[in-house]
Amino acid sequence: MTQHLLSILIWLPIMGGAALIAIGDNKDAASSRAGLMRIAALAVSVATFLISIALYAGFDNAATGMQFVEKEPWVASLNVFYSLGVDGISTPLILLTTFITPLVVIAGWDTIKNRPAQYFAAFLILEGLMIGVFSALDALLFYVFWESMLIPMFLIIGIWGGARRVYATLKFFLYTFLGSVLMLVAFIYLYGQTGGFDLFGFVDAPLTLTAQKFIFIAFLLAFAVKVPMWPVHTWLPDAHVEAPTGGSVILAAIMLKMGGYGFVRLSLPIVPDGSEYFAGMMIALSLIAVVYIGFVALMQKDMKKLIAYSSIAHMGFVTLGFFILWSVSGNAGAGLGMSGGMVQMISHGLISGAMFLCVGVLYDRMHSREIADYGGVANTMPVFAAFMVLFAMANAGLPGTSGFVGEFMVIIASFKANFWYAFLAASTLILGAAYTLWMVKRVIYGEVANANVAALTDLNTREFIVLAILAVSVLLVGLWPAPLVDMMNVTIEQLIEQVGQSKL
Amino acid sequence: MNMMDYMVAAPEMVLLGLICLVLIADLFTDDEHRVRTFWISILALVAIFFVIDGTATESRTVIFSGSYVSDPLSQILKMAAVIFVGITFLYSRDYLRANEIHKGEFYLLGLIGLLGMMIMMSANSMLTVYLGLETLALSLYALVAIDRNNVTSAEAAMKYFILGAIASGCLLYGISWVYGVTGSLQFHEIAAAISTDPSLNNLPLWFGLAFLIVGIAFKFGAVPFHMWLPDVYQGARTPVTLYIASAPKLAALALFLRILVDGLGVLHDTWAAMIMVIGVLSLLVGNFAAIAQSNIKRMLGYSTIAHVGFILLAFFCGTEQGNAAALFYTLTYVVAAAGAFGMIILLSRRGYDAENLADFKGLNARSPWFALMMMFLMFSMAGVPPFVGFFGKLNVISAVIDSGYTGLAVLMVLASVVGAYYYLRVIWYMYFEEAEDQAVLQASTDTRLVLSLNSVAVLALGIVPGWLLALCIQILG
């Protein structure tokens, strides 16, 4: 089984989703058939998670190169391979994916009234495709998973989203589609240079600086849209606000990570000189995201929008951590920035997912995301308030939570690079605390604002379980990040060495 | 000339015989039992399929004093054409019956059109090409007008006929110039004549070439000779649109391959620039104009123009890889097009054509299965993986980049993003909107089954595209 572990992780949820679609849907969410669908979806997602534990257990932290490798010819005449494998960068992201999906399934349990089977099927298929992106070692296979992923998300936002869902989902699809088609052109160009789509072939291919610059730009468009980086972030607030809670969670927790993953898996090793050439610009864009978007978040009146902007700011740390590589002297500092970015990705996956779930809990009761409609929620929902405050603190980067670890590592690394980078990056400690805690203050604390808030009921068991699991994991990563960092170390060292070798 | 020579042309001859049979059988069938004509036609198609398969050879055989050629290319195209004509008949049957235009002529003209296509696919001389082309074109003109009481159909037929006649005239005029310069009508002799005497490669020949390209571009529906296409797609009854949109595209591909690659391939440098301009214009005009349409048949008409742009740009490369990409693209596009028009027929019923985009609203609530199938078809046409349309585009773009035109490739992918919008709109209507029309879908079981297979094929071919691609490369390699 271990030699096909990745294939199982990819295809089990996809097949499960296909089965849900095939068995058909029932408009009545309360029927026993719909209930069976939910249980089946949960079973598949939990089974996927349990199998992914085998991936964690079997993963060798000390080994260099790819593990759990599978390679079969796929399209022989184009030299495309069905080639999978994971290393220290992709394994944590796969685990994050398999961890978040069951929670999303539980979160949608009885809140989705309309076509539940299709809803759960979309998430399961999406899960398989996302794992595919993180484990593909062939550029075309990567691209196929990368683009296919848009289809379920397009439907999730469009069918189960809010009032402006059509606008939001079309914007999401076209924005990301436009970003990624140029990556395809870059892949085909590299295919012409190397005769195959193998990512390692791309890494070894000699490329001129001009070619590297163009390829970097093509990759940048694809990944910057996904991350998203300022100024191509505008699709994200719309998509987040309109998406159903589960969609927002997956979008924030995992899909945004694809962009960061793309930078480390493709941009840095394939076009090291191109990356170095544009590193200054990337740092500038990251800092703009951290500072400017932080201020934008401060001004939001809609909770989901606020968290969406906070995601952009936090993802700015990720790209900052990756691209200060050349400004830092010595491998230790570079490694710190890189690991910081990676830890930040995992941590942001947990925290933003939890924040969106919290907003979802409120939205299910009040059908409003406006901060102004709330106030004094702690009086009627004390347990919920405790969770929300914990996640808000984590979002603000409180030591002891996962949010602190990544940000701190990146700030330390940027101090080694340039004082002003660190100065601007550290402003997030104030801004992040300001926008998150101000929101919490207005929503959770104070007098009970109106009759609707007074009528709120506290978390039910289902919601409690989901938030409790996330709370534990946020604290776990915050207090004991060693297992996560150890998993990445060898790969990151290897990556830094690779990036250090000029292709010119 | 012995009997064996005739055997090579058996598919066309048997088809002609069977057409006579269908004609006679149809005479003795009354309207109530018209479905018999359908079944006889289907049997005829099955028989033809096996005749083509039985007479297929690995090698290239030229007979009838060099006018007719049988090679793997012609065989694969003929088989595909037979299949798509069969699918067209099947999807159309119930619609024609419900709308009281269930005439034997539909099948008869469909079969005659198929004969024309097969002649074009096997043509080895300008005259054979022209003969096949006119056989096909005349059947199509009559088919468009098959519902003679329908004003829009009649108008579309008239437009098609007049413009088609002009295009045929251009083609014939071009043929006469090429004949005048090279002294031959047969493709291999034309190619040989130009190779041996390079001085022929001069203005008079180019003049004829330009007219040939006008004729070919018209048949493809490429910009700026596309005016007829949206009108005919919209005006013709949906089964006829389905017929025009599927198999004849394969014949147009054959027309291009036979005349411009087999015959005038040595002039690639001369025609490439014209083809590129036409291809790029088709891509842009098709994609942008499709956005503005509210009639789905017209929208798919403009989308066809955009797809034709892709096919022409594959030919523009002039490499074996490019030609194979064009073949792959056309074959897979026709699968998706047949499915999409089949879906429009599926939603139609007695006295009601589901030809507006709005008719697709809420299809997911009415029939989740067929909404899913239509989604497959639309994503395939948009070129989103894992559907086969993605591999079609990938091959073409790959061929273009290999020929050194990376800028053109960037333009092509950007045009695809524009194109994605109107395909997404169909999906949006199906999934995100409430149904305006709650009628139950009325298709019979065999239609449902074939339509489902047709749609699942775009996914299956997208997951295992290797064999078809290898076949295309082998045929044109």
Side-chain angles (χ1 to χ4, degrees):
Chain A
M1 183 172 132
T2 46
Q3 70 267 34
H4 293 302
L5 194 60
L6 290 171
S7 281
I8 295 171
L9 282 175
I10 293 170
W11 295 105
L12 176 71
I14 293 180
M15 290 301 163
L20 283 188
I21 291 175
I23 296 168
D25 214 322
N26 199 323
K27 274 189 175 174
D28 182 9
S31 69
S32 62
R33 186 156 159 216
L36 210 63
M37 295 284 175
R38 285 190 202 109
I39 293 169
L42 183 64
V44 172
S45 59
V46 169
T48 313
F49 175 64
L50 292 177
I51 295 171
S52 73
I53 291 176
L55 184 76
Y56 176 73
F59 187 81
D60 180 359
N61 285 346
T64 56
M66 289 293 164
Q67 306 182 32
F68 297 99
V69 174
E70 292 175 40
K71 192 167 187 176
E72 299 290 333
W74 180 26
V75 185
S77 39
L78 286 176
N79 219 350
V80 180
F81 286 87
Y82 174 75
S83 157
L84 304 174
V86 289
D87 60 6
I89 294 169
S90 39
T91 310
L93 290 166
I94 291 178
L95 293 172
L96 179 70
T97 311
T98 58
F99 177 70
I100 294 287
T101 308
L103 299 180
V104 167
V105 171
I106 301 174
W109 200 256
D110 43 21
T111 55
I112 298 298
K113 308 283 186 221
N114 177 25
R115 313 205 148 271
Q118 286 186 352
Y119 179 82
F120 293 117
F123 278 101
L124 289 179
I125 293 173
L126 187 58
E127 178 185 19
L129 296 173
M130 291 188 298
I131 297 172
V133 170
F134 290 132
S135 49
L137 296 182
D138 182 284
L140 200 70
L141 186 66
F142 175 85
Y143 187 82
V144 167
F145 281 128
W146 176 276
E147 289 282 68
S148 314
M149 212 167 61
L150 296 180
I151 298 173
M153 197 37 114
F154 174 72
L155 295 175
I156 288 169
I157 301 176
I159 301 180
W160 296 280
R164 287 171 70 241
R165 60 186 193 277
V166 174
Y167 168 77
T169 198
L170 280 173
K171 188 170 176 182
F172 159 75
F173 191 100
L174 292 174
Y175 228 107
T176 35
F177 194 51
L178 177 65
S180 29
V181 287
L182 290 175
M183 176 169 75
L184 180 66
V185 174
F187 282 160
I188 299 173
Y189 175 82
L190 286 164
Y191 168 68
Q193 302 294 308
T194 63
F197 281 103
D198 185 27
L199 284 183
F200 299 110
F202 288 2
V203 171
D204 296 334
L207 293 165
T208 63
L209 186 59
T210 319
Q212 288 201 33
K213 283 181 196 168
F214 276 112
I215 294 171
F216 184 85
I217 295 284
F219 285 167
L220 175 66
L221 283 172
F223 303 143
V225 167
K226 267 283 202 295
V227 165
M229 296 178 76
W230 182 87
V232 287
H233 64 281
T234 63
W235 63 271
L236 184 81
D238 286 313
H240 265 317
V241 169
E242 299 305 328
T245 305
S248 295
V249 172
I250 293 288
L251 203 55
I254 307 163
M255 287 185 95
L256 303 192
K257 308 303 173 290
M258 306 265 163
Y261 176 76
F263 281 123
V264 284
R265 174 66 74 227
L266 297 165
S267 298
L268 294 180
I270 294 175
V271 285
D273 307 294
S275 306
E276 185 176 0
Y277 182 85
F278 285 107
M281 181 187 83
M282 296 298 291
I283 293 171
L285 292 179
S286 307
L287 289 172
I288 290 173
V290 171
V291 179
Y292 167 71
I293 299 292
F295 278 110
V296 174
L298 206 52
M299 296 312 298
Q300 297 308 313
K301 297 188 172 70
D302 179 310
M303 285 189 277
K304 268 189 152 181
K305 231 173 190 159
L306 190 148
I307 304 167
Y309 278 111
S310 117
S311 291
I312 303 170
H314 282 108
M315 290 305 286
F317 264 89
V318 175
T319 44
L320 179 65
F322 293 159
F323 282 90
I324 50 172
L325 188 71
W326 291 274
S327 329
V328 189
S329 52
N331 275 3
L336 196 63
M338 197 78 84
S339 323
M342 286 300 300
V343 173
Q344 173 77 351
M345 289 218 282
I346 302 294
S347 145
H348 177 256
L350 299 170
I351 298 170
S352 66
M355 290 296 281
F356 278 116
L357 283 167
C358 285
V359 177
V361 165
L362 288 177
Y363 184 80
D364 289 340
R365 287 167 172 71
M366 300 262 291
H367 298 284
S368 166
R369 299 178 303 254
E370 294 290 315
I371 294 173
D373 289 347
Y374 293 89
V377 171
N379 296 310
T380 46
M381 300 176 74
V383 181
F384 170 76
F387 278 121
M388 178 103 175
V389 171
L390 170 70
F391 294 130
M393 290 295 182
N395 201 36
L398 183 78
T401 62
S402 66
F404 173 73
V405 184
E407 287 184 14
F408 190 67
M409 288 165 90
V410 174
I411 292 174
I412 296 286
S414 45
F415 245 116
K416 294 187 178 178
N418 183 323
F419 169 75
W420 291 106
Y421 295 170
F423 178 81
L424 288 170
S427 71
T428 192
L429 296 174
I430 301 161
L431 280 172
Y435 58 71
T436 320
L437 298 182
W438 191 30
M439 177 188 81
V440 168
K441 177 201 161 266
R442 285 178 289 171
V443 172
I444 301 285
Y445 296 119
E447 296 297 311
V448 172
N450 52 43
N452 291 337
V453 174
L456 285 175
T457 51
D458 212 340
L459 298 178
N460 60 30
T461 323
R462 175 180 63 79
E463 291 161 343
F464 182 83
I465 292 172
V466 174
L467 292 179
I469 293 174
L470 279 166
V472 170
S473 48
V474 165
L475 289 173
L476 201 63
V477 177
L479 293 172
W480 193 40
L484 183 62
V485 176
D486 288 346
M487 200 183 240
M488 303 169 181
N489 267 341
V490 175
T491 311
I492 286 178
E493 272 168 30
Q494 205 186 344
L495 180 71
I496 288 170
E497 198 178 309
Q498 225 163 27
V499 176
Q501 289 163 354
S502 169
K503 280 189 166 186
L504 301 176
Chain B
M1 192 99 192
N2 58 32
M3 273 310 284
M4 284 314 290
D5 283 353
Y6 287 100
M7 276 303 291
V8 177
E12 282 80 3
M13 292 186 227
V14 174
L15 179 57
L16 186 59
L18 289 171
I19 287 172
C20 299
L21 202 71
V22 174
L23 179 63
I24 294 165
D26 188 58
L27 278 180
F28 295 98
T29 313
D30 54 21
D31 275 348
E32 264 175 52
H33 301 98
R34 193 65 72 197
V35 75
R36 281 181 200 157
T37 314
F38 164 78
W39 285 114
I40 297 171
S41 308
I42 291 287
L43 283 178
L45 289 172
V46 171
I48 286 299
F49 187 86
F50 286 108
V51 171
I52 300 169
D53 192 40
T55 55
T57 48
E58 290 288 311
S59 57
R60 183 183 156 87
T61 320
V62 179
I63 56 164
F64 298 147
S65 319
S67 304
Y68 180 100
V69 62
S70 173
D71 56 5
L73 173 69
S74 70
Q75 287 140 17
I76 196 87
L77 285 177
K78 283 178 196 173
M79 282 179 174
V82 168
I83 292 172
F84 287 112
V85 169
I87 289 178
T88 305
F89 286 176
L90 178 64
Y91 292 169
S92 309
R93 182 194 58 201
D94 296 336
Y95 175 96
L96 295 172
R97 201 153 46 177
N99 287 286
E100 288 167 2
I101 42 175
H102 198 223
K103 299 178 185 140
E105 284 79 6
F106 179 78
Y107 304 111
L108 203 63
L109 288 168
L111 291 174
I112 296 174
L114 175 65
L115 179 64
M117 290 181 229
M118 285 167 61
I119 294 172
M120 284 164 80
M121 289 162 183
S122 267
N124 195 42
S125 95
M126 292 285 191
L127 277 186
T128 322
V129 158
Y130 187 75
L131 196 68
L133 185 68
E134 285 302 283
T135 313
L136 171 63
L138 287 170
S139 321
L140 291 181
Y141 304 146
L143 270 175
V144 173
I146 196 159
D147 184 10
R148 64 175 174 195
N149 298 323
N150 185 318
V151 182
T152 45
S153 289
E155 184 196 325
M158 207 59 200
K159 240 179 213 162
Y160 194 18
F161 176 68
I162 292 172
L163 290 174
I166 294 172
S168 295
C170 286
L171 194 71
L172 210 50
Y173 189 57
I175 289 173
S176 67
W177 274 84
V178 172
Y179 177 65
V181 174
T182 62
S184 175
L185 286 168
Q186 283 158 27
F187 297 135
H188 56 272
E189 287 180 9
I190 294 173
I194 302 169
S195 298
T196 45
D197 185 1
S199 68
L200 292 182
N201 188 354
N202 214 324
L203 202 58
L205 189 62
W206 302 342
F207 187 74
L209 179 68
F211 278 95
L212 287 178
I213 287 177
V214 170
I216 293 170
F218 176 86
K219 292 298 165 192
F220 260 114
V223 177
F225 311 103
H226 66 290
M227 298 303 182
W228 62 275
L229 197 141
D231 289 338
V232 171
Y233 272 43
Q234 183 182 3
R237 297 307 293 256
T238 315
V240 179
T241 314
L242 164 63
Y243 185 91
I244 298 174
S246 53
K249 298 287 171 259
L250 299 169
L253 177 88
L255 187 69
F256 196 110
L257 279 171
R258 293 300 182 202
I259 296 184
L260 289 183
V261 178
D262 281 2
L264 298 168
V266 275
L267 294 186
H268 173 260
D269 292 343
T270 313
W271 58 253
M274 295 189 235
I275 291 299
M276 189 188 80
V277 172
I278 293 175
V280 169
L281 283 177
S282 304
L283 200 58
L284 296 178
V285 172
N287 274 328
F288 279 102
I291 292 177
Q293 307 309 320
S294 61
N295 179 301
I296 190 168
K297 282 158 75 181
R298 199 172 178 84
M299 185 200 95
L300 288 173
Y302 279 109
S303 112
T304 303
I305 297 173
H307 288 287
V308 163
F310 253 91
I311 296 168
L312 292 180
L313 289 174
F315 280 128
F316 155 72
C317 301
T319 53
E320 281 168 3
Q321 191 195 358
N323 294 345
L327 178 60
F328 183 88
Y329 196 101
T330 313
L331 283 171
T332 54
Y333 166 70
V334 171
V335 177
F341 282 105
M343 207 61 77
I344 298 173
I345 295 179
L346 180 80
L347 290 190
S348 305
R349 58 181 174 275
R350 186 185 191 86
Y352 183 76
D353 274 9
E355 57 177 17
N356 286 316
L357 271 172
D359 293 317
F360 279 80
K361 280 188 180 171
L363 185 61
N364 186 36
R366 292 167 66 194
S367 168
W369 175 253
F370 284 108
L372 184 73
M373 295 296 108
M374 186 66 175
M375 181 170 80
F376 284 4
L377 296 165
M378 290 295 110
F379 273 126
S380 180
M381 284 196 181
V384 177
F387 301 99
V388 70
F390 166 70
F391 281 95
K393 288 196 164 61
L394 173 74
N395 289 327
V396 177
I397 292 168
S398 183
V400 169
I401 292 179
D402 257 21
S403 307
Y405 298 94
T406 312
L408 181 60
V410 171
L411 182 77
M412 290 164 78
V413 294
L414 293 181
S416 304
V417 177
V418 176
Y421 172 75
Y422 55 85
Y423 298 120
L424 285 180
R425 194 164 58 167
V426 177
I427 298 165
W428 146 21
Y429 280 7
M430 289 192 303
Y431 280 88
F432 310 159
E433 301 278 338
E434 294 296 322
E436 288 174 355
D437 176 359
Q438 291 294 353
V440 182
L441 303 183
Q442 292 170 329
S444 51
T445 319
D446 50 359
T447 312
R448 282 168 185 263
L449 185 71
V450 176
L451 191 54
S452 302
L453 284 177
N454 186 170
S455 312
V456 171
V458 299
L459 177 61
L461 280 171
I463 292 172
V464 281
W467 64 274
L468 186 59
L469 188 56
L471 186 71
C472 292
I473 292 171
Q474 188 200 335
I475 287 172
L476 290 172

